Amino acid sequence: YLKISKLALAFAIIHSKPPGKSSKEYTEYLAKTVSKQDFGWKWKVEVLEAEVLRLRQELLLNRISPRFCLENRKQDASAETLLGRESINPTSYSSQLEDSGCDVCNDSAFDSLGIASDFHQSEHNVNTSEHWLERVPPLNLCHSSKEQSLTAPVQFLQRLLEIRKLSEGGILQADFSELENDSFTIWNSMSQLLDGLTVFYNSPKFPAPSFLTEGVSVLISLITDTKLSNHVLKKCFKKMEEFKKNLIAIILRDRSVNRFQALRSVSETLALLGRNNILRNSLISLLLPEVRQFAEQLLQAHQVQSVYDITQYENIFLLCMILEQLLQNETQESNISSSDYGGEEKIKFLENLDQIILHLSDEFPLFSLYLWRVSVLLNSGQMQ
């Protein structure tokens, strides 16, 4: 049937071609025309898919808390949410990216991680909660640029977090078990958020735009919320793993001259993801083999006196800093077992590590010091 159809199409093109054109030229002209139509249809499909997702998001929010959606219809479309300001300070975040970024080995590189403690503090002030209903932005998925498209999942997840806070303060009644019945909406919204953040980190702009700080704020607030994080991670764990791998790859492969401030923002996001115990364990399991593999490559290059990758050597310190920070948090929380983040990775990392440190300590003292500090944290967790 397919061969007959192709043959019939070929005869139709030959018989209908205008005078002065060859069959080949006319076929190419028809192909271009059809491709333009396909592009138009693809754009229409994307718009319709965005509208379907918006309706599903509103329906899900309505199922969780009908009163919240009813009150939101009365609020101004230009209102701004308070959620982003509670979690991350956009001013300080942007000012970091404005710096020229020539100091990666400074301990102040992770000073801003102190803001992550804000994610664990919940506001129970009823008077403040009542005003949140008036400040939540409406859902809007029809944006023209990639940067603006990130605001669509951010707005939906912000509203989900607002319902959580209002229900916690006794202002609203909410049934979050509805999240289990609609995995598509949660997964799609989180995928758009993570993909949008990855696009920015691959080609960052300075200073950091407000949509980035809001996106990171919503992401961290969501995964550190005790009631919502389990629902989200259950459906989006693989996507979160992919996101973490992408951020690690960005750190390792970036070779731009003035890259350190951009990579610092990436490393801070990774460290903030480690505030969630489940994500912390999987992140440690991803970082250990990367650091170990580079240590082995550096030792091999040192033994044969060959040239090593100086750019990757500079970038690996960011991974070491993240790993040390995560392991410190791990050892401070006695309720978390050290075996949860992958015994095999830990054993492979520690295998003959003392010999590697011994051989590298003279030529690469700072990197050897980081390896030693990480090994001490791993051994201390093992003794517990």
Side-chain angles (χ1 to χ4, degrees), residues 119-133:
F119 294 117
H120 296 282
Q121 299 176 356
S122 300
E123 294 292 338
H124 297 280
N125 191 312
V126 175
N127 294 328
T128 305
S129 299
E130 290 175 347
H131 293 291
W132 286 344
L133 285 172

Side-chain angles (χ1 to χ4, degrees), residues 334-360:
S334 58
N335 59 327
I336 304 297
S337 173
S338 61
S339 62
D340 289 342
Y341 52 80
E344 293 184 6
E345 287 82 1
K346 184 166 60 175
I347 293 173
K348 290 179 181 178
F349 184 86
L350 294 174
E351 185 179 1
N352 298 325
L353 186 63
D354 292 338
Q355 293 297 321
I356 295 178
I357 294 174
L358 180 63
H359 287 92
L360 294 179

Side-chain angles (χ1 to χ4, degrees), residues 43-322:
W43 180 81
K44 291 179 181 179
V45 168
E46 290 177 357
V47 172
L48 292 175
E49 287 178 344
E51 178 64 15
V52 169
L53 179 58
R54 183 187 68 81
L55 294 174
R56 295 190 66 153
Q57 288 174 340
E58 289 190 347
L59 179 61
L60 179 58
L61 292 176
N62 185 67
R63 287 176 177 172
I64 294 173
S65 181
R67 183 190 159 191
F68 178 84
C69 296
L70 180 64
E71 293 291 336
N72 259 295
R73 293 192 184 101
K74 301 176 183 178
Q75 49 88 32
D76 184 9
S78 62
E80 295 179 354
T81 184
L82 290 173
L83 184 63
R85 300 181 203 145
E86 291 180 352
S87 305
I88 290 182
N89 187 341
T91 304
S92 63
Y93 196 81
S94 300
S95 63
Q96 293 173 4
L97 296 182
E98 288 173 356
D99 193 272
S100 61
C102 297
D103 55 336
V104 290
C105 299
N106 196 327
D107 290 339
S108 64
F110 276 81
D111 286 348
S112 60
L113 286 180
I115 60 178
S117 61
D118 296 338
F119 294 117
H120 296 282
Q121 299 176 356
S122 300
E123 294 292 338
H124 297 280
N125 191 312
V126 175
N127 294 328
T128 305
S129 299
E130 290 175 347
H131 293 291
W132 286 344
L133 285 172
E134 302 174 359
R135 303 177 71 93
V136 180
L139 290 179
N140 183 9
L141 290 172
C142 298
H143 297 284
S144 57
S145 69
K146 291 183 178 180
E147 293 183 4
Q148 291 176 331
S149 65
L150 186 62
T151 62
V154 167
Q155 287 178 3
F156 165 68
L157 296 172
Q158 278 177 338
R159 295 179 75 177
L160 190 61
L161 287 164
E162 293 296 335
I163 293 177
R164 170 75 174 99
K165 287 184 176 291
L166 292 173
S167 65
E168 189 179 47
I171 305 299
L172 288 176
Q173 290 184 350
D175 181 14
F176 292 100
S177 63
E178 290 291 339
L179 293 174
E180 297 297 327
N181 301 326
D182 193 353
S183 58
F184 171 83
T185 302
I186 295 295
W187 184 88
N188 209 314
S189 301
M190 282 294 293
S191 295
Q192 286 187 6
L193 174 60
L194 297 177
D195 290 342
L197 292 176
T198 303
V199 168
F200 171 81
Y201 285 133
N202 270 306
S203 54
K205 295 181 180 179
F206 302 96
S210 60
F211 77 88
L212 174 72
T213 57
E214 289 184 6
V216 174
S217 169
V218 168
L219 175 62
I220 304 304
S221 297
L222 199 62
I223 65 172
T224 53
D225 188 283
T226 55
K227 181 164 285 189
L228 295 178
S229 60
N230 290 336
H231 294 289
V232 173
L233 292 180
K234 188 183 297 183
K235 299 174 178 59
C236 307
F237 183 77
K238 290 184 178 180
K239 189 67 181 181
M240 290 295 299
E241 288 295 286
E242 178 186 340
F243 178 62
K244 291 184 293 185
K245 290 177 181 179
N246 288 336
L247 295 187
I248 293 173
I250 289 173
I251 292 176
L252 290 175
R253 71 168 180 260
D254 196 335
R255 296 180 174 276
S256 58
V257 175
N258 193 25
R259 66 187 181 276
F260 299 122
Q261 289 302 310
L263 292 185
R264 180 184 297 180
S265 65
V266 179
S267 61
E268 287 177 351
T269 300
L270 276 172
L272 288 172
L273 291 175
R275 295 290 176 176
N276 179 282
N277 293 332
I278 299 175
L279 296 181
R280 179 201 304 160
N281 296 335
S282 64
L283 182 54
I284 291 175
S285 297
L286 291 174
L287 291 173
L288 284 174
E290 292 289 350
V291 176
R292 169 73 188 205
Q293 181 180 0
F294 180 80
E296 292 175 347
Q297 293 174 354
L298 188 63
L299 176 61
Q300 184 178 3
H302 175 64
Q303 289 176 338
V304 299
Q305 296 297 312
S306 63
V307 179
Y308 64 92
D309 191 337
I310 184 63
T311 301
Q312 194 172 18
Y313 176 76
E314 294 173 344
N315 293 347
I316 201 69
F317 281 100
L318 288 171
L319 298 188
C320 292
M321 293 165 69
I322 300 169

